[in-house]
Amino acid sequence: MKSSATGTNRRYWSERQVLPAQLPKNGSVSHYFLGLMFPALIHTSTHLKGGIFGVPRFHKRESQFSIRTPWKFSFQPAYVDMYSLSRRRKILSQEKGFRYRNMASQNMEKLESNVAIIDYAQDVPLSTSYEVAMEALSSLIRQKKRGDQKGIGGKYGKLDRMRIYLKILDLEEHMAGLKIIHVAGTKGKGSTCTFCEAMLRESGFRTGLFTSPHLIDVRERFRINGVDISEDKFLLYFWNCWNRLKERETEDLPMPPLFQFLTVLAFKIFVCEQVDVSIIEVGLGGRNDSTNVIEEPVVCGITSLGMDHTEALGNTIGQIASHKAGIFKHQIPAFTVPQVSEAMDVLQENAQELTVPLKVVEPLDSNELNGLKLSLSGDHQLSNAGLAVSLCKCWLQRTGNWEKLFQNDNKEANLPEAFLRGLSKAHIAGRAQIIPDLSSTSSSCISSEVAETSGDLIFYLDGAHSPESMEVCAEWFSSAVKENNLSPSLVSFSSHDIESINKVPGNGYMQHEKFNIQEINKISKKILLFNCMDVRDPQILLPRLVSTCASSGTFFSKAIFVPSISTYNKVTSGTSVVPSDISSKDLHWQFSLQRLWEKIVHGIDTDSLLEKSTKMDGAETLPHRQFLYEDASNCSPTDGYLACSAVIPSLPLTIKWLRHCVRENPSLRLQVLVTGSLHLVGDVLKLIRR
């Protein structure tokens, strides 16, 4: 029997069609779980080699610089029925660690080219099984909160354990073929990786990008050709890795903790997806990070260094630099940006020991962009972009692609056209991101590009959580609000931010030119929406934020402190239920942040004024109606009255209240800076996009 796996006449077939009536009643449902978790295969003469379950691309990549020959598979959602789901839930409740009975990974390896599974219309939402995967991932979290130093046991060290995991998954021999760009640093490593991915994708390569953390959904960590991996592909690779590692679990070799699992999962995805280049962001530090199982990167990069994660990396910038330099490999080129002398000395010492050619890259000159604008906002992104350009040039040269790609480019040009396109299209959520809340706009009419008004409620999102990044965040926010207030009808924001309205390609900036005199007369108030993890030091973060903003003439009218929805010990998805019960919410931390804020604003302690229960009565959950309009000069802490700040026990309640305020007063423009925690930023994104 033959089938066509290419072109528009692609046909799906099966040697044996399985119908719902044929489902077994004896509990042996492994084949049906296979149908649930793994998409349909198309017959092909290609056999799988090396134990890797190859799943190809949705579209054959059109590039003359292909490093691999694409495998000819295709997949569609497989049939799922309620009987199968109920059996799966029963098994989950009976077997430890979410083990799926008889669904060992050898089932995948036995799938040869003469096997096919027919694809049916899927009657049950995929999110059902996706949430089960999230529960499984949550079980891998060993730390109940950040900063816990609890080990996982076993006789192996972290990197030795990682090598064993790679061997179990048959990934060892494929690592070098991933052509990795490995990036560490304190600030900007996610942005640098994102720039690298966009430039190489625009150059015609199939890219894989692994970053952390995610903001809304764990699939954000794995991008193929600039797009988050789909749910069905994620489930395919997730359960394959899960079951193979679970089968080999012992007291000496436990299941990997969350980040280690996600790291090997990234390698699995990129190998199976046959990417041409893998851009890997270090999770924490470098020397002992799970990603440092990479032995043969093509090139390494170190972004700007600062004081962060001191509980794990040390209390000096030199100690932190030593951890970051741990990703250097013998004679592999490396690049970094200008650093403070103590950090640079350590980087250079480590480079010399390994005969690493280390080059320092200056920030990109904006004149090199030929009139284009970096898609990621903030002057600090010029440093990240400069590093990314050097990493990509080196990668192209060392893989033998530079001359092939750019031999016809203008030799006078500093940057190839593909690089310029990538720098102007790269996108990363939650970093210097502006999102007008269109659900609260005073205009109910939205054009094909943007709302008629600039938006009464505008969120400025930045997950800054270190002193250095907080300063950068403050500089960006001050510049952004001034630009928007001077030209309120020229609000620029990413097309990703309004994808719920329409899909807009391009470099991420949109403008509408209609000048509305009513916009100029709006009352603009700057609001801080803040939370940070208790391992951070708000006594450094908040004063740095306030002083940097003040030096640019930017002052907050009010500050709101609110707990995040996300928790450190649970992995959720974009469709996870948002908890609504706030009756038992512990607000000790938020009240301590408020006390610090009032001390910064007024210069006096307000501890005695804020000695209240951490459980708020319903009447106290929201500020009174005049809170936003009161001038800070009327705030009298000595009289027990605080008009400068508030604690609200629920983030959904906070967003709802802000929306109500601007709807009630169309002349009000609230510019809300959300910062202090990537968890908080992710939660806000999740709420305003629903």
Side-chain angles (χ1 to χ4, degrees):
M1 184 179 294
K2 297 182 179 180
S3 69
S4 170
T6 59
T8 57
N9 295 322
R10 180 172 295 167
R11 290 178 287 133
Y12 300 94
W13 61 275
S14 173
E15 294 179 347
R16 180 173 66 90
Q17 296 186 4
V18 181
L19 301 177
Q22 295 174 290
L23 286 169
K25 304 301 182 182
N26 59 3
S28 178
V29 292
S30 61
H31 290 291
Y32 305 97
F33 288 162
L34 204 63
L36 169 65
M37 295 299 175
F38 306 111
L41 299 178
I42 299 307
H43 178 76
T44 166
S45 60
T46 303
H47 287 243
L48 305 180
K49 303 293 185 183
I52 299 296
F53 183 76
V55 177
R57 334 164 175 199
F58 283 110
H59 304 286
K60 182 177 179 180
R61 185 172 55 82
E62 297 178 359
S63 171
Q64 57 179 316
F65 307 107
S66 176
I67 294 176
R68 296 179 181 84
T69 301
W71 294 343
K72 295 180 179 179
F73 287 84
S74 176
F75 55 101
Q76 296 287 325
Y79 174 79
V80 183
D81 74 298
M82 292 309 297
Y83 176 83
S84 186
L85 283 175
S86 64
R87 292 295 303 171
R88 178 167 58 82
R89 292 193 184 98
K90 182 177 181 181
I91 289 175
L92 283 176
S93 65
Q94 293 175 346
E95 298 190 10
K96 179 183 178 181
F98 307 90
R99 185 188 298 274
Y100 282 78
R101 180 176 299 159
N102 296 327
M103 187 183 153
S105 60
Q106 61 261 30
N107 287 332
M108 299 178 69
E109 296 185 14
K110 289 179 181 178
L111 289 174
E112 297 279 341
S113 62
N114 61 342
V115 177
I117 304 171
I118 195 167
D119 90 288
Y120 292 92
Q122 187 165 330
D123 295 333
V124 178
L126 188 60
S127 59
T128 305
S129 58
Y130 190 67
E131 289 301 320
V132 174
M134 296 304 99
E135 293 175 21
L137 274 178
S138 297
S139 73
L140 299 179
I141 299 176
R142 304 287 192 268
Q143 300 170 319
K144 297 306 178 186
K145 65 177 184 177
R146 229 210 69 182
D148 285 353
Q149 299 297 320
K150 181 181 178 182
I152 72 167
K155 68 177 183 180
Y156 303 103
K158 178 194 283 187
L159 293 181
D160 288 335
R161 205 166 50 241
M162 286 292 295
R163 294 183 186 97
I164 296 173
Y165 294 145
L166 292 179
K167 188 173 183 178
I168 291 173
L169 297 174
D170 299 310
L171 293 172
E172 267 186 322
E173 64 187 72
H174 299 274
M175 291 293 289
L178 290 177
K179 312 287 186 192
I180 292 171
I181 297 176
H182 200 191
V183 180
T186 304
K187 301 175 296 178
K189 59 184 186 290
S191 298
T192 300
C193 288
T194 302
F195 278 134
C196 285
E197 186 280 329
M199 284 188 285
L200 292 176
R201 172 163 42 88
E202 288 295 328
S203 299
F205 295 94
R206 181 168 173 81
T207 59
L209 174 64
F210 176 59
T211 58
S212 60
H214 63 273
L215 297 181
I216 298 177
D217 196 293
V218 71
R219 293 180 295 109
E220 298 166 24
R221 298 178 185 236
F222 315 95
R223 285 195 198 177
I224 304 295
N225 267 355
V227 179
D228 298 349
I229 190 170
S230 63
E231 281 194 9
D232 54 359
K233 281 192 175 186
F234 176 84
L235 288 171
L236 169 71
Y237 299 124
F238 172 83
W239 288 116
N240 176 241
C241 291
W242 178 274
N243 286 296
R244 294 177 72 172
L245 294 175
K246 198 71 177 173
E247 285 180 338
R248 299 288 294 274
E249 181 183 18
T250 65
E251 186 175 336
D252 289 334
L253 186 69
M255 284 290 284
L258 178 64
F259 187 73
Q260 292 178 38
F261 182 90
L262 294 176
T263 302
V264 295
L265 177 59
F267 295 141
K268 175 74 171 179
I269 290 171
F270 296 158
V271 167
C272 292
E273 289 290 321
Q274 295 189 309
V275 300
D276 298 325
V277 55
S278 299
I279 301 99
I280 306 295
E281 178 190 354
V282 166
L284 174 63
R287 190 175 304 278
N288 299 318
D289 186 69
S290 301
T291 65
N292 209 27
V293 72
I294 299 167
E295 296 181 353
E296 301 177 65
V298 174
V299 62
C300 297
I302 306 288
T303 65
S304 181
L305 300 181
M307 300 299 294
D308 195 19
H309 297 285
T310 54
E311 74 282 357
L313 304 180
N315 295 314
T316 69
I317 193 68
Q319 292 173 323
I320 291 173
S322 179
H323 275 277
K324 308 295 183 180
I327 70 169
F328 291 164
K329 300 299 184 295
H330 183 63
Q331 295 185 337
I332 300 296
F335 296 84
T336 189
V337 299
Q339 311 281 0
V340 297
S341 59
E342 183 182 353
M344 187 61 75
D345 289 344
V346 173
L347 293 181
Q348 290 175 338
E349 284 176 18
N350 279 265
Q352 290 171 4
E353 290 176 6
L354 294 170
T355 324
V356 168
L358 175 64
K359 296 182 180 180
V360 180
V361 181
E362 294 298 322
L364 190 68
D365 187 338
S366 58
N367 293 326
E368 295 182 70
L369 295 173
N370 294 346
L372 294 176
K373 189 174 182 180
L374 289 180
S375 57
L376 305 184
S377 302
D379 292 340
H380 61 288
Q381 293 295 354
L382 291 170
S383 177
N384 299 327
L387 178 59
V389 166
S390 294
L391 291 172
C392 289
K393 282 184 176 179
C394 182
W395 185 91
L396 288 165
Q397 290 164 353
R398 298 198 73 221
T399 56
N401 287 294
W402 178 262
E403 290 299 327
K404 296 178 187 176
L405 277 169
F406 303 121
Q407 58 184 345
N408 296 324
D409 269 31
N410 184 359
K411 299 293 184 182
E412 305 265 331
N414 290 322
L415 294 177
E417 287 297 320
F419 280 28
L420 292 173
R421 291 195 303 270
L423 291 170
S424 64
K425 292 181 180 179
H427 170 74
I428 184 169
R431 279 79 163 180
Q433 184 177 15
I434 305 174
I435 302 184
D437 183 45
L438 298 182
S439 71
S440 64
T441 183
S442 58
S443 172
S444 59
C445 179
I446 299 176
S447 71
S448 61
E449 289 188 346
V450 76
E452 279 295 319
T453 66
S454 63
D456 299 308
L457 176 58
I458 306 174
F459 290 98
Y460 297 77
L461 305 166
D462 193 281
H465 49 266
S466 69
E468 295 85 0
S469 61
M470 191 61 70
E471 186 172 331
V472 170
C473 167
E475 291 171 351
W476 161 73
F477 176 68
S478 297
S479 174
V481 294
K482 283 182 180 180
E483 179 181 339
N484 291 166
N485 287 339
L486 287 173
S487 303
S489 64
L490 298 178
V491 177
S492 62
F493 51 96
S494 168
S495 60
H496 293 267
D497 302 333
I498 59 165
E499 60 187 358
S500 60
I501 300 174
N502 60 324
K503 303 286 185 180
V504 183
N507 68 356
Y509 290 88
M510 299 180 61
Q511 295 182 340
H512 59 99
E513 299 177 355
K514 183 176 179 180
F515 190 79
N516 189 342
I517 195 66
Q518 293 179 345
E519 295 297 301
I520 295 181
N521 296 325
K522 287 198 173 186
I523 303 169
S524 294
K525 290 186 175 292
K526 298 162 192 66
I527 309 296
L528 174 64
L529 184 58
F530 187 90
N531 191 35
C532 66
M533 300 179 73
D534 58 10
V535 295
R536 307 291 180 188
D537 189 350
Q539 298 190 62
I540 297 177
L541 298 181
L542 284 173
R544 184 76 63 94
L545 173 66
V546 172
S547 62
T548 305
C549 283
S551 66
S552 300
T554 300
F555 302 92
F556 292 100
S557 301
K558 310 292 174 183
I560 298 174
F561 302 97
V562 60
S564 302
I565 300 171
S566 302
T567 59
Y568 194 75
N569 59 356
K570 185 173 178 59
V571 181
T572 58
S573 72
T575 58
S576 297
V577 176
V578 176
S580 57
D581 180 24
I582 61 173
S583 59
S584 59
K585 182 70 73 173
D586 185 350
L587 299 172
H588 274 104
W589 181 245
Q590 282 66 45
F591 280 117
S592 69
L593 294 174
Q594 185 185 27
R595 283 194 292 270
L596 175 59
W597 179 263
E598 293 294 333
K599 185 175 181 179
I600 293 170
V601 173
H602 299 288
I604 59 174
D605 285 324
T606 57
D607 290 11
S608 60
L609 305 176
L610 294 171
E611 289 178 355
K612 56 176 70 177
S613 170
T614 58
K615 294 184 180 180
M616 304 180 73
D617 296 331
E620 299 180 67
T621 56
L622 292 173
H624 57 80
R625 296 171 67 92
Q626 296 303 312
F627 173 73
L628 285 176
Y629 309 103
E630 293 173 330
D631 194 296
S633 61
N634 295 328
C635 184
S636 303
T638 54
D639 297 332
Y641 178 63
L642 302 177
C644 299
S645 63
V647 171
I648 301 180
S650 160
L651 184 57
L653 196 62
T654 304
I655 301 298
K656 183 178 180 180
W657 179 72
L658 289 170
R659 285 171 169 168
H660 175 75
C661 289
V662 295
R663 285 172 181 157
E664 191 178 57
N665 186 352
S667 66
L668 182 66
R669 174 184 291 113
L670 297 183
Q671 297 170 305
V672 182
L673 174 62
V674 184
T675 191
S677 164
L678 280 168
H679 288 291
L680 178 64
V681 167
D683 291 340
V684 170
L685 275 173
K686 185 183 296 185
L687 289 170
I688 63 180
R689 286 180 175 179
R690 285 194 170 184

